[in-house]
């Protein structure tokens, strides 16, 4: 027992070193930079200061932080709501159809991220397809703008992160024994009830993973609100970029980044805690032919 | 009640293949009824039609005279024990058993009481707070039974429930199933491809082949009086003979069998002279001896061509005329017997005239179901 423990340590050492060098160290550098004074040329002054932290109390920030949080949360929620039925359909589809659907899910990755976002700009443009279509249907006023608002940011956030939500839920659904749904119905559950009481708990790991891989990067979004949003829909990422590129104030940017990192750590630690209590259950045997 | 559960001309096709074809079957209240057949014979489809997971293309399913064909699974008063148990992995055993009762919106105290009683019945009360992955296959089986029975179904459907267990455990679970049935008295419909399970557990059984029923009867009827070559060959093992009736004498008739000789047989079907008949004689009904046999009129002499020791019995293949007959011999004093029968030995072989059984239907392809004699060593 002790021996295998020890060899396990040796085996994980390289990846631990890797993480320490490229993840922990940079994070600590960002944290420490926020305690340094800024110099007028955009570099770091000498000595240590708490002034930057005090300036985090800017009246602008609470609104931006709140917006970042709720945009990310709503994005995660919508992605999960869409990912669950898609993953269910994918897992139950026939082999050939399944391949086609999976291809469609990963197809967006073949095009550059920026180009896809600019494509949305073209679509939502006042002369664009979506706007004109909605106008024809009478669903939108002629003077209304579909761009540069929180709605546009949310739409593109969901669009961007949806595949990342679908894939982990699909992976979990693929291992799910659909015979359990029949068992639930056999015991008196309506199909919808069976879905909620058996399928959703069955793919809960996938749901958790999907929530993390959407929520965490969404918190740090910068490009999407920058291109799709206006000044009233800025997120924390935009502020960090502004501090670096416009104000040339690295300590301020670092302080904001540290804040974001801490915000990301909270759901991550929660997820770890939730997962620790439950050892992986063996996958039930699928019914043979 | 005679037709407690009735399948009325039920048919089901998957793509172009008939899974169940114009099948009519009546199951009585309180009996253990087995559907026995090789894989792909439609027995599981029939069970799924009964549970509501498959809709028949035509025909009806009646339970106590009520047409339940169109009812969705969750509204049927039947419950299933699945082959792979299908226990909910995220729930404890207790929660698994309570699952169905919670959906009935029973008061919490009633649920608890019934769950405890059911866990008691399957002897798993102490394990109730474990998760399914923490218990053994046999225990999972018992939870699956408890989970279905706690719903007090009118019919309990069991889909090859012992297939995933090893032989010893299977035998023990068979006895337990029998005891549980005695306790609850629910009608059991039991699907299996294992004839020994079906024989030992069932009050009656149906032998299925190719989406249709070959024969329905008690285990004794089906084994001792098979109606078709399929039943005779699928349940147990047998020797087939093809012959013509040459004479009748009281209850018996004399058959001329080409390549063997003349054979006497009990004529319960009123066969007339000149009719073509197929005869089935089970290996254990045959007698084998070095000395001339003192046994009825079916006596031949042959030569032992092969012999296989099987523990409980020995299986001989004996050449008689053009036939190579399978003979099962139980042994006693095997180690002390100075002269067990050997390869190539000349022996007397015979069977009682009541032990041959004339089949109503015969198809040559069913001979493939027989256990094959070892190849001739030239």
């Amino acid at each position: 027992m002790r021996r295998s423990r020890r060899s396990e340590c040796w085996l994980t050492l390289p990846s631990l070193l890797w993480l320490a060098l490229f993840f922990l160290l940079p994070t600590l550098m960002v944290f420490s930079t926020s305690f340094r004074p800024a110099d007028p040329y955009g570099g770091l002054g000498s000595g240590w200061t708490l002034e930057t932290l005090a300036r985090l109390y800017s009246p602008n920030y609470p609104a931006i932080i709140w917006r970042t949080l709720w945009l990310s949360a709503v994005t995660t929620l919508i992605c999960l709501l869409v990912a669950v039925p898609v993953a269910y359909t994918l897992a139950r589809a026939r082999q050939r159809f399944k391949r086609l659907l999976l291809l469609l899910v990963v197809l967006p990755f073949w095009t550059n991220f920026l180009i896809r976002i600019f494509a949305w700009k073209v679509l939502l443009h006042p002369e664009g397809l979506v706007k004109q279509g909605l106008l024809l249907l009478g669903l939108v006023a002629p003077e209304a703008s579909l761009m540069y608002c929180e709605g546009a940011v949310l739409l593109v956030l969901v669009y961007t992160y949806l595949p990342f939500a679908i894939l982990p839920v699909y992976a979990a659904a693929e291992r799910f024994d659909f015979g359990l749904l029949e068992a639930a119905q056999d015991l008196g559950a309506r199909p919808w009830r069976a879905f909620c009481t058996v399928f959703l708990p069955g793919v809960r790991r996938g749901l958790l993973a999907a929530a993390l891989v959407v929520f965490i990067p969404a918190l740090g979004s910068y490009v999407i609100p920058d291109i799709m949003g206006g000044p009233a829909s800025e997120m924390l990422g935009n502020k960090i970029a502004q501090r670096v590129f416009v104000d040339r104030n690295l300590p301020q940017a670092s302080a904001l980044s540290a804040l974001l990192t801490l915000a990301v750590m909270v759901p991550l630690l929660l997820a770890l805690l939730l997962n620790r209590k439950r050892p992986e259950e063996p996958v039930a045997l699928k019914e043979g032919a | 009640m005679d037709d407690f559960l009735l399948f009325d001309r039920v048919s089901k096709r998957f793509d172009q293949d008939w899974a169940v074809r114009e099948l009519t079957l009546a199951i009585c209240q309180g009996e253990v009824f087995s559907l026995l057949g090789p894989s792909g014979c439609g027995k599981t489809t029939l069970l799924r039609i009964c549970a509501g997971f498959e809709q028949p293309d035509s025909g009806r399913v009646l339970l106590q005279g009520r047409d339940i064909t169109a009812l969705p699974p969750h509204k049927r008063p039947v419950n299933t024990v699945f082959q792979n148990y299908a226990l909910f992995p995220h729930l404890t055993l207790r929660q698994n058993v309570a699952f169905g009762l919670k959906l009935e919106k029973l008061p919490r105290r009633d649920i608890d009481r019934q769950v405890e009683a059911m866990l008691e019945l399957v002897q798993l009360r102490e394990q109730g707070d474990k998760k399914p992955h923490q218990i053994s296959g046999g225990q999972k089986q018992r939870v699956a039974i408890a989970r279905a029975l706690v719903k007090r179904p009118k019919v309990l459907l069991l889909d090859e429930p012992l297939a995933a267990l090893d032989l010893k455990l299977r035998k023990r679970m068979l006895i337990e199933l029998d005891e549980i049935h005695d306790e609850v008295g629910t009608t059991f419909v039991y699907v299996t491809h294992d004839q020994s399970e079906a024989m030992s557990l069932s009050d009656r059984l149906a032998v299925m082949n190719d989406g249709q029923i070959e024969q329905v009867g008690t285990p004794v009827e089906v084994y001792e009086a098979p109606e078709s070559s399929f039943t005779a060959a699928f349940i147990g093992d047998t020797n087939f003979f093809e012959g013509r009736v040459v004479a009748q004498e009281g209850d018996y008739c004399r058959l001329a069998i080409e390549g063997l000789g003349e054979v006497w047989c009990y004529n319960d079907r009123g066969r007339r002279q000149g009719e073509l008949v197929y005869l089935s004689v089970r290996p254990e009904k045959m007698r084998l001896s070095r000395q001339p046999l003192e046994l009825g009129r079916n006596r031949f002499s042959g030569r032992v061509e092969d012999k296989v020791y099987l523990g409980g019995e020995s299986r001989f293949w004996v050449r008689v005329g053009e036939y190579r007959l399978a003979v099962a011999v139980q042994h006693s004093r095997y180690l002390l017997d100075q002269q067990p029968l050997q390869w190539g030995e000349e022996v007397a072989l015979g069977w009682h005239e009541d032990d041959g059984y004339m089949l109503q239907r015969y198809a040559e392809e069913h001979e493939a179901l027989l256990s094959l004699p070892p190849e001739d060593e030239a």
Side-chain angles (χ1 to χ4, degrees):
Chain A
M1 202 59 194
R2 280 187 75 165
R3 188 162 224 172
S4 76
R5 264 275 162 84
R6 190 169 292 175
S7 65
E8 200 178 305
C9 281
W10 281 109
L11 280 171
T12 44
L13 198 61
S15 37
L16 280 177
L17 277 176
W18 177 275
L19 281 175
L21 199 61
F22 295 106
F23 178 77
L24 194 62
L25 204 62
T27 310
L28 290 176
M29 278 164 70
V30 168
F31 273 67
S32 69
T33 307
S34 38
F35 295 102
R36 303 287 292 278
D39 80 354
Y41 306 107
L44 297 175
S46 56
W48 300 91
T49 174
L50 286 174
E51 192 194 338
T52 340
L53 285 190
R55 281 180 56 191
L56 273 180
Y57 275 118
S58 151
N60 285 333
Y61 286 153
I64 288 179
I65 289 171
W66 171 241
R67 188 186 300 125
T68 306
L69 280 175
W70 82 255
L71 273 176
S72 306
V74 174
T75 302
T76 310
L77 192 70
I78 296 175
C79 280
L80 286 182
L81 284 178
V82 178
V84 168
V86 170
Y88 179 88
T89 314
L90 263 171
R92 298 216 84 170
R94 288 175 183 224
Q95 202 57 43
R96 276 181 62 188
F97 195 49
K98 184 183 287 185
R99 277 198 211 121
L100 183 74
L101 284 174
L102 266 178
L103 187 71
L104 289 177
V105 172
V106 294
L107 201 61
F109 295 129
W110 294 3
T111 316
N112 182 282
F113 172 58
L114 279 174
I115 292 180
R116 282 185 282 137
I117 295 176
F118 275 106
W120 273 108
K121 239 178 150 156
V122 173
L123 283 171
L124 297 176
H125 193 268
E127 305 294 321
L129 214 62
V130 174
K131 174 76 186 284
Q132 294 299 318
L134 289 175
L135 260 181
L136 269 178
L137 292 171
L139 287 173
V140 73
E143 69 277 7
S145 169
L146 296 180
M147 296 212 294
Y148 311 123
C149 59
E150 286 172 345
V153 175
L154 185 65
L155 176 73
V156 178
L157 276 174
V158 169
Y159 160 79
T160 306
Y161 291 115
L162 190 55
F164 297 101
I166 290 174
L167 292 175
V169 183
Y170 163 67
E174 187 68 8
R175 286 184 304 163
F176 180 75
D177 173 13
F178 284 95
L180 295 178
L181 284 182
E182 283 190 349
Q185 288 180 52
D186 190 71
L187 293 167
R190 289 165 179 283
W192 173 247
R193 182 77 189 255
F195 183 85
C196 294
T197 50
V198 177
F199 180 74
L200 289 184
V203 297
R204 61 175 189 278
R205 276 159 205 285
L207 292 174
L208 197 62
L212 288 178
V213 296
V214 174
F215 187 68
I216 292 173
L219 278 178
S221 333
Y222 150 65
V223 176
I224 295 169
D226 195 52
I227 297 175
M228 297 308 298
S233 46
E234 276 186 322
M235 290 172 75
L236 209 53
N238 304 96
K239 270 283 170 259
I240 296 171
Q242 266 176 37
R243 294 289 167 267
V244 177
F245 297 126
V246 182
D247 305 354
R248 297 180 61 78
N249 188 334
L250 275 180
Q252 268 293 322
S254 297
L256 280 175
S257 294
L259 200 68
L260 194 58
T261 307
L262 290 175
V264 168
M265 294 291 260
V266 171
L268 205 62
L269 289 175
L270 263 177
L272 268 176
L273 223 69
L274 274 176
N275 253 353
R276 240 176 89 176
K277 283 267 166 84
R278 302 196 180 109
E280 182 76 58
E281 286 130 13
V283 180
L285 282 172
K286 293 224 168 178
E287 198 173 344
Chain B
M1 243 195 291
D2 220 25
D3 4 345
F4 183 71
L5 175 65
L6 179 70
F7 295 93
D8 180 22
R9 283 168 294 135
V10 170
S11 293
K12 175 75 187 174
R13 246 200 314 202
F14 293 114
D15 298 325
Q16 287 310 304
D17 301 324
W18 291 98
V20 175
R21 197 166 185 171
E22 284 287 308
L23 185 146
T24 296
L25 176 67
I27 292 168
C28 306
Q29 183 160 23
E31 72 177 338
V32 178
F33 191 95
S34 291
L35 296 168
L36 176 63
S39 48
C41 74
K43 55 191 194 297
T44 295
T45 306
L46 195 63
L47 198 79
R48 289 175 60 82
I49 286 173
C50 189
F53 298 130
E54 305 284 354
Q55 273 295 310
D57 298 330
S58 64
R60 301 180 303 159
V61 184
L62 296 146
L63 182 62
Q64 287 180 306
R66 192 164 74 104
D67 190 340
I68 59 165
T69 321
L71 281 185
H74 65 270
K75 288 197 178 147
R76 296 193 182 202
V78 300
N79 288 105
T80 311
V81 175
F82 293 88
Q83 185 175 0
N84 62 353
Y85 322 125
L87 299 181
F88 305 123
H90 60 291
L91 301 179
T92 64
L93 307 189
R94 214 166 244 120
Q95 288 166 330
N96 262 283
V97 177
F99 188 90
L101 294 179
K102 279 196 180 142
L103 292 164
E104 287 176 24
K105 304 220 162 58
L106 289 180
R108 175 123 207 147
R109 278 177 52 200
D110 287 3
I111 294 179
D112 288 346
R113 193 171 40 78
Q114 291 183 40
V115 167
E116 291 312 309
M118 203 42 81
L119 284 174
E120 183 80 56
L121 177 71
V122 297
Q123 300 156 36
L124 280 171
R125 264 190 85 164
E126 285 82 48
Q127 324 265 354
D129 292 320
K130 288 190 176 168
K131 290 281 184 73
H133 68 273
Q134 293 169 306
I135 59 174
S136 69
Q139 289 172 328
K140 282 183 195 171
Q141 186 57 70
R142 284 189 256 159
V143 177
I145 291 166
R147 187 179 69 173
L149 276 178
V150 80
K151 294 277 290 177
R152 302 186 187 286
K154 296 210 164 105
V155 180
L156 182 72
L157 308 172
L158 300 110
D159 183 11
E160 307 230 9
L162 308 182
L165 305 177
D166 62 58
L167 184 64
K168 279 279 175 211
L169 196 53
R170 206 149 66 210
K171 286 187 170 161
R172 214 172 66 209
M173 283 304 298
L174 265 178
I175 296 168
E176 276 185 37
L177 265 177
D178 204 28
E179 284 169 354
I180 289 172
H181 180 257
D182 288 347
E183 191 92 5
V184 296
T186 311
T187 309
F188 279 25
V189 178
Y190 188 96
V191 160
T192 182
H193 64 268
D194 184 314
Q195 43 143 327
S196 65
E197 276 177 28
M199 302 276 273
S200 58
L201 193 64
S202 337
D203 297 311
R204 292 193 307 146
L205 56 93
V207 181
M208 282 186 72
N209 181 30
D210 213 7
Q212 288 174 314
I213 285 178
E214 288 276 338
Q215 188 170 354
V216 179
T218 63
V220 171
E221 284 166 357
V222 171
Y223 187 81
E224 299 292 341
E227 284 170 7
S228 67
S229 54
F230 179 83
T231 310
F234 183 73
I235 300 190
D237 215 352
T238 195
N239 297 288
F240 287 127
F241 302 95
E242 178 186 333
R244 271 183 201 286
V245 181
V246 292
Q248 278 175 273
E249 203 174 282
D251 288 340
Y252 294 86
C253 64
R254 188 156 49 109
L255 309 176
I257 291 169
E258 204 181 314
L260 183 80
E262 294 205 330
V263 166
W264 287 89
C265 180
Y266 184 67
N267 188 7
D268 65 335
R269 303 205 185 277
R271 303 287 184 164
R272 306 252 172 76
Q273 205 163 329
E275 263 188 83
L276 184 67
V277 295
Y278 292 93
L279 187 70
S280 152
V281 184
R282 301 241 180 235
E284 74 278 6
K285 315 281 194 214
M286 300 254 187
R287 294 285 169 270
L288 215 53
S289 168
R290 283 203 186 88
Q291 280 80 44
L293 287 160
E294 313 269 322
L295 174 94
R297 289 174 280 191
N298 298 329
R299 281 180 284 182
F300 303 91
S301 60
R303 194 164 51 85
V304 175
E305 285 197 340
D306 257 305
K307 156 184 179 185
V308 177
Y309 175 77
L310 295 170
E313 60 173 43
S314 283
R315 182 64 63 108
F316 292 88
W317 278 275
V318 181
R319 170 69 61 186
V320 181
E322 287 174 15
Y323 281 84
R324 199 171 143 87
L325 302 178
V327 183
V329 176
Q330 294 198 324
H331 16 68
S332 61
R333 307 188 71 233
Y334 191 85
L335 290 174
L336 297 175
D337 196 338
Q338 293 302 301
Q339 296 169 301
L341 285 171
Q342 292 302 336
W343 282 265
E345 236 181 288
E346 298 291 331
V347 286
L349 176 149
W351 66 90
H352 197 279
E353 45 235 62
D354 290 333
D355 276 337
Y357 197 81
M358 290 193 283
L359 303 168
Q360 285 176 320
R361 299 186 302 280
Y362 173 83
E364 200 167 324
E365 77 233 34
H366 296 153
E367 295 202 8
L369 293 167
L370 298 176
S371 62
L372 287 174
E375 282 301 309
D376 270 293
E377 285 167 47

